[in-house]
Amino acid sequence: MSIKERVMSDVEKIVTKGHQVDDELIIFIKKDYAKTLDDVGKGMDTVKETTIEYLDGVEEGLKATGHESGKLVSKAAEVLVEVSGNLGNKGVDAAGKIAVEARAALNTALEKAKGSIDNVEGKTKEQMKDALAHLNKAGEIGKARLEGVGEGIKAYAVLKKNDLSDSARQVLNRSADSSKELIRKLAGSTKAQSKELLRHSLEKVSGWLGKLADKVKPKA
């Protein structure tokens, strides 16, 4: 069963129950879309296609039961962006915690080495390197996911241009554009956490951390 078919079926069930349909639909989308993104992968193109299918499934499920679809599909698009943004934040925060633990281990090792980074075990250094790389990767994954959702919503608006009113398409495009602001915030959070990790009172250690960060910096 495709994503569209599955979502369409689930939406039909929610509408058929007839109990607080709008609220129940949004609750369903928040949980199900997050799981769907975890299942399909993290690449921008994959997320884009998934988003198109997902919105199509929501719309067709509503139409199949005779429920008004325009406003709910627009609201669904807003929720998809929100879900994607939350996943990105969680990923960066989790990676940040791992990096903080690695930094604590490095500080402990430095105390034992009397402040000499040269005398810190390679394993501890590698752990710090991996943690910084993981933090950067989490930021990149979150960015790609948000880009995919935004592009998917825009593509859906184009795909359905003959079925949607001008106002509905405008709402969809605004939702898509809102992903750009979330991308900026996510990048800012990733940068701030990385910057904090690279600070150190010992100049030589600070310099070593800076060089380490350059090694694991994402390619432009």
Side-chain angles (χ1 to χ4, degrees):
M1 183 182 288
S2 69
I3 291 172
K4 176 182 174 179
E5 291 170 337
R6 177 181 60 76
V7 173
M8 180 178 173
S9 175
D10 287 336
V11 169
E12 285 183 34
K13 291 175 185 175
I14 291 171
V15 177
T16 300
K17 284 183 180 180
H19 179 66
Q20 297 180 324
V21 171
D22 292 15
D23 292 340
E24 288 298 320
L25 182 63
I26 297 307
I27 291 171
F28 162 74
I29 292 173
K30 284 183 177 181
K31 292 181 179 179
D32 185 73
Y33 186 65
K35 183 180 183 302
T36 300
L37 288 182
D38 280 340
D39 290 342
V40 300
K42 304 174 179 67
M44 189 192 81
D45 290 338
T46 300
V47 174
K48 176 182 175 180
E49 294 304 317
T50 298
T51 300
I52 295 170
E53 267 201 83
Y54 205 95
L55 288 173
D56 208 11
V58 171
E59 181 189 11
E60 293 301 321
L62 290 168
K63 284 183 175 179
T65 52
H67 198 81
E68 197 279 323
S69 61
K71 290 182 179 179
L72 271 177
V73 171
S74 296
K75 179 61 179 175
E78 293 177 8
V79 173
L80 300 193
V81 174
E82 177 188 337
V83 168
S84 181
N86 288 340
L87 287 174
N89 290 334
K90 287 178 181 178
V92 168
D93 288 345
K97 288 179 181 178
I98 292 172
V100 167
E101 291 173 0
R103 171 63 189 270
L106 177 66
N107 285 340
T108 299
L110 282 166
E111 286 180 14
K112 292 180 179 179
K114 297 181 179 180
S116 174
I117 189 66
D118 294 332
N119 292 331
V120 171
E121 288 185 359
K123 181 181 178 181
T124 303
K125 292 179 181 179
E126 194 66 24
Q127 184 181 7
M128 190 69 218
K129 179 183 177 181
D130 290 345
L132 285 172
H134 184 53
L135 177 59
N136 289 335
K137 183 66 174 178
E140 290 297 300
I141 288 172
K143 176 186 175 184
R145 188 186 285 123
L146 278 164
E147 287 176 339
V149 172
E151 290 298 316
I153 294 171
K154 283 188 175 182
Y156 177 79
V158 173
L159 183 68
K160 298 289 182 174
K161 63 181 179 182
N162 294 327
D163 302 323
L164 298 170
S165 65
D166 289 342
S167 60
R169 286 201 307 274
Q170 287 173 4
V171 172
L172 286 172
N173 284 321
R174 280 199 298 271
S175 293
D177 289 339
S178 71
S179 66
K180 297 176 182 178
E181 178 59 26
L182 293 182
I183 288 171
R184 283 193 288 271
K185 288 181 178 179
L186 185 64
S189 174
T190 306
K191 184 177 180 180
Q193 292 193 52
S194 180
K195 187 175 180 180
E196 185 64 28
L197 289 164
L198 299 180
R199 289 178 179 170
H200 204 283
S201 57
L202 297 175
E203 185 177 346
K204 190 171 183 180
V205 176
S206 179
W208 178 82
L209 285 168
K211 291 178 181 177
L212 190 65
D214 287 339
K215 289 180 181 179
V216 300
K217 188 180 295 183
K219 295 180 181 179

